[in-house]
Amino acid sequence: MLHKTINLTPDGRVNLRTYILNKTMNGNLLPNRPAIIILPGGAFTFLSETEGEPVALTFAKEGFHTFVLNYSIGEDSVFPNPLDDVSRAIWEVRRNADEWGINSDQIAVMGFSAGACVAAMSATQWNTPGLAARLGVPRDGIKPNAAVIAYGASLLSTIFDNEDDDLIVPPPGKITADRTPEVDVVNYVGPHTAPMFFWHNRFDKYVPVINPILMAEAMIKYKLPFEMHIFQSGEHGMSVCNELFDPTGEKMDRGVALWVPLCTMWLKNLFAK
């Protein structure tokens, strides 16, 4: 496995950590594999470690090259920085596809919570006029081939209008504090949108379960492919729900953990077409 950090901005603030699988086995060249770019959550104020390497290693085990993107947070999360960050990451993976043994038409973005919002922004807004030109890359070079949306927000109003007084949440990053319209990704779904896999927990206190339902409704409107799973048990931030995420086993849930094989099967079936 090739494990290194690639800086996507001159100051290294935005970077991509690689978990690239070997291209050969027993001296034989393997077919190119699909890739997943992982975006941890953290309310745009921090990047959750439990939604980074544990996810990368879990899906590497399933045969995907994986990457963890450290994108803009805090004051740096002002739009369009997060969209620029994920777009640069997609292009970095795609332009190195041959060298790393990646199928350039099988690159997915996978986000959790705030990271899911960035992944969904990529899936719905990769074709924003001027985006590719600003980054100096080909327009089709920044299009994700699929997006996995794990307990992600699609409308800011469902977060800020939450009436649960018991919630303790960090101060939002600038992109959400500004209520930047592009964060309401459901409004940007169209014929250009990448296929999506949604999963959520019914009683998630931080991102109401209506969010993936609204996204699915928009996908249906445009006759776009998607799959959605809503688990009755579980809570916000359960990541891959295995021993890599929670070595103690206290937060593991066998039902919620099913999202990993379900998502793996969905991605492999999608990319086989």
Side-chain angles (χ1 to χ4, degrees):
M1 177 179 286
L2 176 62
H3 185 45
K4 65 178 181 177
T5 299
I6 300 171
N7 292 331
L8 299 181
T9 56
D11 60 2
R13 176 178 54 82
V14 178
N15 60 71
L16 198 63
R17 300 200 313 272
T18 74
Y19 299 78
I20 300 171
L21 301 173
N22 294 336
K23 292 175 61 175
T24 61
M25 182 175 292
N26 297 326
N28 297 315
L29 185 66
L30 296 171
N32 287 348
R33 304 173 187 260
I36 300 174
I37 299 171
I38 298 155
L39 298 95
F44 289 103
T45 60
F46 69 99
L47 295 173
S48 170
E49 292 185 4
T50 61
E51 293 163 347
E53 183 164 276
V55 182
L57 294 176
T58 295
F59 280 89
K61 184 179 178 181
E62 299 296 335
F64 296 88
H65 297 291
T66 55
F67 303 80
V68 177
L69 175 63
N70 291 326
Y71 56 90
S72 298
I73 56 176
E75 290 297 306
D76 292 321
S77 69
V78 61
F79 188 83
N81 283 354
L83 179 59
D84 287 0
D85 298 343
V86 66
S87 300
R88 286 192 181 98
I90 293 169
W91 174 240
E92 183 70 18
V93 173
R94 185 162 277 134
R95 77 182 184 90
N96 287 290
D98 288 342
E99 178 184 349
W100 293 338
I102 293 170
N103 188 320
S104 62
D105 293 324
Q106 297 179 2
I107 300 173
V109 288
M110 175 183 289
F112 299 79
S113 196
C117 182
V118 181
M121 287 170 61
S122 173
T124 60
Q125 297 166 58
W126 63 271
N127 65 337
T128 299
L131 171 60
R134 182 171 69 248
L135 300 180
V137 302
R139 186 168 180 265
D140 289 344
I142 58 176
K143 178 181 180 180
N145 301 110
V148 178
I149 310 301
Y151 41 89
S154 60
L155 285 172
L156 282 176
S157 60
T158 66
I159 306 298
F160 284 105
D161 297 341
N162 196 322
E163 297 179 353
D164 191 334
D165 294 332
D166 294 330
L167 291 182
I168 300 175
V169 297
K174 188 164 180 56
I175 192 170
T176 47
D178 290 348
R179 296 210 178 201
T180 303
E182 286 82 1
V183 176
D184 289 341
V185 293
V186 68
N187 298 326
Y188 294 84
V189 174
H192 63 285
T193 299
M196 293 198 197
F197 180 98
F198 306 97
W199 76 271
H200 216 97
N201 292 323
R202 168 66 183 89
F203 295 106
D204 188 319
K205 292 182 178 180
Y206 294 92
V207 181
V209 71
I210 193 65
N211 281 270
I213 295 172
L214 292 170
M215 287 294 290
E217 183 180 36
M219 299 287 280
I220 291 169
K221 176 182 176 181
Y222 289 100
K223 300 180 180 179
L224 299 170
F226 74 90
E227 184 164 316
M228 181 171 64
H229 298 275
I230 298 175
F231 300 98
Q232 183 167 318
S233 60
E235 57 189 36
H236 190 79
M238 296 191 74
S239 184
V240 283
C241 206
N242 61 20
E243 67 281 355
L244 294 174
F245 154 72
D246 177 25
T248 68
E250 294 178 0
K251 295 183 178 180
M252 289 172 61
D253 184 302
R254 290 184 180 180
V256 177
L258 289 173
W259 85 264
V260 172
L262 288 168
C263 181
T264 297
M265 181 169 57
W266 180 80
L267 283 170
K268 290 184 176 180
N269 287 341
L270 179 72
F271 291 155
K273 295 179 180 179

